[in-house]
Amino acid sequence: MEKRGREGILMPEETAYDRPAVLEYAKKWAFKRNPAYYDFENLGGDCTNFASQCIYAGSRVMNFTPVYGWYYTSNSNRSASWSGVSYLYRFLTTNKGAGPYAEETSGNGVLPGDILQLGDENGRFYHSPVIIGVTPDEIYVAAHTFDAYMRPLSTYFYANIRFLHILGVRKYG
């Protein structure tokens, strides 16, 4: 059912983020490539592309807003946020329209299906693993570029880290 705001503007509906679907997708594709998506391995890395695929498995909604959206239809028709680390962060933390949205949190505030991003000492973030397991002592991730599944976060070397907790998904009726 379509919802409209005071000025008659179509309003998005909230829907749940399907974390089990994210984990299933990550497990299936962590060590291989889904042929529906371009492999960016030789173009700077495939980690954020893989993270976006996992997020899409849990949201099933893209945001086709030019420039600032989050979408993929082909290698030549995709948003920067689909495959760029900082662009994905910006989209998830500022998205008010269709698609998934997130907040930055601490390591204690994440769940399987969330994203973390690793950065250097200059504040440049360069890697976007998908969180697939959380225990009191460890966070486990799946990733592309350096393909991994159930890799402990403690085995990575990084100077900075940020955690993105996906709060939900908005879609238009």
Side-chain angles (χ1 to χ4, degrees):
M1 181 173 166
E2 196 173 275
K3 288 173 50 180
R4 295 198 177 264
R6 284 191 290 163
E7 280 93 39
I9 297 170
L10 187 61
M11 303 297 292
E13 297 176 29
E14 297 282 329
T15 185
Y17 182 57
D18 187 350
R19 292 176 185 280
V22 175
L23 303 182
E24 182 179 314
Y25 189 94
K27 184 175 185 178
K28 179 175 183 177
W29 295 105
F31 293 108
K32 53 188 176 181
R33 302 301 187 261
N34 183 337
Y37 298 95
Y38 187 80
D39 180 0
F40 293 89
E41 190 76 29
N42 296 318
L43 293 174
D46 199 53
C47 66
T48 305
N49 176 40
F50 177 66
S52 285
Q53 291 172 42
C54 291
I55 295 167
Y56 182 65
S59 68
R60 306 310 294 167
V61 178
M62 292 183 187
N63 181 317
F64 289 94
T65 304
V67 182
Y68 299 108
W70 176 76
Y71 61 91
Y72 181 99
T73 60
S74 71
N75 181 36
S76 60
N77 186 17
R78 63 183 163 85
S79 63
S81 59
W82 188 271
S83 57
V85 176
S86 62
Y87 299 105
L88 177 62
Y89 172 84
R90 186 177 314 131
F91 173 78
L92 288 173
T93 59
T94 65
N95 180 29
K96 303 288 187 229
Y101 58 98
E103 67 181 2
E104 192 169 345
T105 188
S106 70
N108 294 327
V110 294
L111 297 169
D114 288 336
I115 304 297
L116 64 87
Q117 293 186 325
L118 305 178
D120 63 22
E121 60 281 345
N122 298 317
R124 183 186 147 275
F125 287 86
Y126 55 82
H127 194 43
S128 300
V130 178
I131 298 170
I132 57 168
V134 178
T135 69
D137 301 317
E138 190 65 81
I139 293 175
Y140 298 90
V141 301
H144 275 185
T145 301
F146 300 105
D147 293 2
Y149 183 78
M150 287 299 287
R151 180 174 174 179
L153 177 58
S154 62
T155 65
Y156 282 91
F157 295 99
Y158 55 90
N160 286 300
I161 189 167
R162 59 188 177 198
F163 298 93
L164 299 172
H165 174 62
I166 297 177
L167 298 166
V169 180
R170 294 183 194 98
K171 66 178 183 171
Y172 289 91

